Amino acid sequence: MNRFYREYLDAEVDRRGTNCEKWDRCQENFGRADLLPMWVADMDFRTAPAVAEAIAKRAEHAIYGYTENSAEEKRAEQGWLKRRYGLDVEADWILYSPGVVDSIFFCVRAMTEPGDAIVIQPPVYGPFYRAIQLFERTLVENPLLRTASGWEMDFDLLEKQFAAGAKMMILCNPHNPVGRVWRREELQRLVDLAARFGVIIIADEIHADFNLGPTPHTRILSLDGSDRCVMLTSATKSFNLAGLRQSSAIVRDAALREKLRAEIDRAHAGTPNIFGAIAQTAAYNQGDEWMDAVVEYIRENRDFAVDFIRSRIPQIHCQPQEGTYLMWLDCRDVGVSHEEFFRRLVEEAGVALNSGMDYGAEAGRGYFRFNLATRRANVEDALKRIEKMVRSMNA
């Protein structure tokens, strides 16, 4: 990483008082305002300079009326996917919605009916559950298997669930929160299985650009037989633009695409945010160097955190995540209940982490999610606070 980006990413930026959920809503979510927030999945890094410049230039125009997505925006996304993943997509395949979660909700409504079975793989991102329950579909859990070599899919159970009549699966890749980047052969096996039973796969790939190795990220649409797969992606996670509300749903199959387009139109959700569209275009056209630097910085944070935890807090177990900037901490051996550990994190350590039970009441019990997308000083401070707390518990 060059010196400019090292200093740029390591700069201390005070986010308090900006109506920032991560820093300004600790009181509401944890009961204390003075916590070190290592929870919500956004980054404490300033976005790419080219993105900030593009937004500022457009802001100078001072008229922000109704707008449309441009051909340039689609070309920028096509270029990013081709350069970084070797994936060719046609412009017509790209639909826009305000966010990936919105797109999941739209897909569920557009492509399934009330009562239809939808498969998810807990522990997994909470809105997956909400999309199924809110629209009165049937939740089918295919829990990930924790093995000696890491987290794996339970393909035997998955085949039974597909055979029993599941209509859809919502896949997370890289997986939030366990951090797996699914290998190409795993994904091909999944796509083949889904095609065999007529199951639609909705692939949430919003964390795809945070690949920490060693497994390269395989885009779902690059696989043989992936016509009935929907790839959800966005620059908002990669470039820290979540407040600008912009995402893409990329669908090769024309019939599925038209169903989704109709659902987005019914919600009147296809009109872009001016600044979101401009930011995403600039990010995809000019953000490669910044993105590479961010991934390197997060990889260094991950390696630092893993070494710290293994050497100084051995009661907590972790595996180096392959993707995302979120570390999944196994705290089941600390000697207290999940609820007591969570209370102590807040009251004694002064650290805000996501409770693992937000990702599945059973699958997430005893686990906590730790956000590494911040200055190294914050990562070290949070870990030292947790270390002190755990030591006091075992004194």
Side-chain angles (χ1 to χ4, degrees), residues 7 79 148 210 213 236 290 327 385 393:
E7 293 178 353
F210 298 99
T236 59
W290 182 91
M327 180 170 281
R385 294 184 190 198
M393 292 164 48

Side-chain angles (χ1 to χ4, degrees), residues 184 187-201 219-230 252-253 256:
R184 187 176 189 88
L187 292 170
Q188 188 64 66
R189 182 178 178 185
L190 176 63
V191 168
D192 291 345
L193 194 63
R196 180 175 151 200
F197 291 101
V199 177
I200 298 167
I201 296 177
R219 290 287 189 172
I220 195 81
L221 293 181
S222 71
L223 298 167
D224 293 337
S226 60
D227 283 0
R228 289 178 63 78
C229 297
V230 178
R252 182 187 290 115
D253 182 85
L256 284 182

Side-chain angles (χ1 to χ4, degrees), residues 113-375:
E113 299 293 334
D116 283 350
I118 301 179
V119 179
I120 62 172
Q121 296 178 305
V124 74
Y125 186 46
F128 287 19
Y129 294 91
R130 292 203 297 275
I132 296 167
Q133 295 162 348
L134 181 64
F135 301 119
E136 300 178 336
R137 273 55 172 176
T138 301
L139 173 65
V140 178
E141 295 190 357
N142 177 258
L144 296 180
L145 303 174
R146 184 166 184 179
T147 71
S149 59
W151 296 90
E152 303 289 344
M153 293 191 200
D154 187 342
F155 280 102
D156 292 338
L157 177 58
L158 196 59
E159 182 171 0
K160 293 175 183 177
Q161 292 166 332
F162 284 5
K167 299 298 184 183
M168 176 179 284
M169 175 179 177
I170 309 176
L171 173 73
C172 202
N173 186 33
H175 192 282
N176 172 16
V178 307
R180 267 301 312 274
V181 174
W182 302 113
R183 296 185 298 276
R184 187 176 189 88
E185 56 269 27
E186 292 173 304
L187 292 170
Q188 188 64 66
R189 182 178 178 185
L190 176 63
V191 168
D192 291 345
L193 194 63
R196 180 175 151 200
F197 291 101
V199 177
I200 298 167
I201 296 177
I202 309 301
D204 175 355
E205 299 191 14
I206 196 169
H207 289 274
D209 293 321
F210 298 99
N211 192 309
L212 309 180
T215 305
H217 183 89
T218 299
R219 290 287 189 172
I220 195 81
L221 293 181
S222 71
L223 298 167
D224 293 337
S226 60
D227 283 0
R228 289 178 63 78
C229 297
V230 178
M231 187 174 84
L232 306 182
T233 188
S234 176
T236 59
K237 191 68 67 178
S238 304
F239 289 86
N240 214 24
L241 307 169
L244 296 183
R245 306 285 286 142
Q246 175 80 354
S247 79
S248 304
I250 305 179
V251 194
R252 182 187 290 115
D253 182 85
L256 284 182
R257 187 167 63 248
E258 289 312 307
K259 285 183 178 181
L260 181 55
R261 189 196 309 275
E263 187 62 40
I264 293 171
D265 288 345
R266 272 193 290 272
H268 199 65
T271 302
N273 176 309
I274 292 174
F275 294 106
I278 287 169
Q280 180 158 295
T281 301
Y284 285 154
N285 277 336
Q286 300 171 267
D288 292 80
E289 188 175 7
W290 182 91
M291 190 76 245
D292 292 341
V294 167
V295 170
E296 183 176 347
Y297 193 102
I298 291 168
R299 184 185 295 113
E300 291 173 0
N301 276 354
R302 178 202 64 181
D303 294 344
F304 171 83
V306 169
D307 289 344
F308 188 106
I309 292 167
R310 289 178 175 175
S311 63
R312 296 171 60 168
I313 326 176
Q315 299 91 335
I316 296 176
H317 309 290
C318 65
Q319 294 176 319
Q321 77 267 28
E322 300 168 347
T324 82
Y325 48 74
L326 305 164
M327 180 170 281
W328 190 232
L329 303 180
D330 180 354
C331 303
R332 293 175 297 171
D333 288 341
V334 296
V336 297
S337 70
H338 179 100
E339 292 79 7
E340 176 65 9
F341 191 76
F342 187 69
R343 182 189 69 79
R344 288 173 179 255
L345 278 171
V346 173
E347 297 180 6
E348 296 179 20
V351 175
L353 302 184
N354 288 104
S355 166
M357 294 178 69
D358 294 341
Y359 307 90
E362 294 306 317
R365 177 171 288 278
Y367 290 86
F368 292 85
R369 196 184 74 169
F370 186 105
N371 185 340
L372 294 168
T374 188
R375 299 172 62 238

